[in-house]
């Protein structure tokens, strides 16, 4: 019963994070595929695969990665104001779709190993290529998005010991604060 309640809390938080990031209008495959690696990361929690991190650490790590990725990407778009190749708006740099996809792929690689990570990196690369093919981004936008996604995960990984200490995360409670709210997971 303990594992079930904890798992439900992780699923709810993951759904909330995905909902915050959903595009208002989804026209292309990559509008959905960008979340593929994060969904894989969540789904692998229900398998017998082991991770070097506890469930609480993974939750904190995942929420922090999302917050960093979304924050850095949005800041870049607001500061740079680069026009898209299709001239639809001036939010081209960096690619948020690509950042989210590579963030998820790097989380999978860290949590479940190179082989699972490679599959998710292939998915993330597909997202980046499709963004360029559909004239939504320049190649440099996609490369920057990939760097932001991977870099956010690495930064979240470095912040994890500090977050555990500051937030008092033990083996029974995980808390994380994002620009969009707070996440809490409690093992009963």
């Amino acid at each position: 019963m303990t594992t079930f309640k904890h798992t439900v809390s992780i699923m709810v938080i993951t759904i909330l994070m995905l909902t915050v990031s959903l595009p208002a209008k989804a026209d292309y495959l990559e509008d959905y595929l960008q979340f593929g690696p994060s969904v894989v990361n969540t789904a692998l929690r229900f398998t017998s695969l082991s991770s070097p991190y506890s469930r609480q650490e993974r939750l904190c790590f995942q929420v922090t990665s999302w917050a960093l990725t979304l924050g850095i990407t949005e800041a870049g778009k607001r500061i740079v104001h680069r026009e898209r190749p299709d001239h639809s708006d001036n939010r081209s740099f960096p690619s948020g779709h690509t950042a989210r996809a590579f963030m998820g792929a790097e989380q999978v690689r860290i949590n479940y190993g190179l082989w699972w990570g490679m599959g998710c990196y292939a998915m993330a690369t597909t997202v980046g290529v499709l963004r360029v093919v559909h004239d939504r981004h320049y190649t440099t936008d996609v490369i920057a998005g990939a760097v932001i996604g991977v870099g956010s995960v690495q930064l979240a990984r470095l912040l994890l010991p500090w977050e555990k200490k500051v937030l008092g995360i033990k083996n029974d409670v995980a808390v994380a604060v994002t620009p969009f709210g707070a996440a809490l997971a409690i093992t009963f």
Side-chain angles (χ1 to χ4, degrees), residues 27-188:
D27 291 328
Y28 301 113
L29 172 64
E30 66 268 22
D31 291 335
Y32 301 101
L33 194 59
Q34 66 178 313
F35 301 112
S38 291
V39 170
V40 169
N41 188 41
T42 300
L44 288 174
R45 290 184 177 139
F46 303 107
T47 68
S48 61
L49 294 174
S50 63
S51 169
Y53 298 100
S54 71
R55 289 180 183 204
Q56 293 82 8
E57 289 171 329
R58 281 182 290 187
L59 176 64
C60 189
F61 176 58
Q62 185 174 3
V63 171
T64 303
S65 297
W66 272 94
L68 289 169
T69 299
L70 294 173
I72 294 168
T73 301
E74 271 306 305
K77 288 179 179 296
R78 292 174 190 266
I79 292 167
V80 175
H81 293 286
R82 185 177 192 182
E83 188 175 22
R84 293 184 187 274
D86 67 358
H87 308 290
S88 62
D89 63 34
N90 63 349
R91 295 176 50 81
S92 184
F93 185 88
S95 170
H97 284 67
T98 308
R100 286 184 288 276
F102 274 87
M103 176 207 61
E106 181 65 1
Q107 286 178 345
V108 170
R109 185 196 66 79
I110 288 170
N111 284 318
Y112 301 105
L114 182 62
W115 291 107
W116 283 102
M118 284 174 44
C120 288
Y121 268 108
M123 198 180 319
T125 301
T126 301
V127 169
V129 168
L130 289 173
R131 296 305 282 168
V132 173
V133 167
H134 290 138
D135 267 346
R136 297 296 289 157
H137 288 287
Y138 298 100
T139 304
T140 51
D141 302 338
V142 168
I143 292 169
V147 169
I148 289 168
V150 172
S152 293
V153 174
Q154 291 301 325
L155 182 56
R157 198 168 139 187
L158 291 173
L159 290 173
L160 186 59
W162 177 80
E163 288 176 317
K164 286 174 59 178
K165 182 178 178 184
V166 169
L167 299 172
I169 296 173
K170 305 283 185 218
N171 290 330
D172 56 349
V173 177
V175 179
V177 178
T178 74
F180 308 105
L184 173 67
I186 303 172
T187 302
F188 296 88

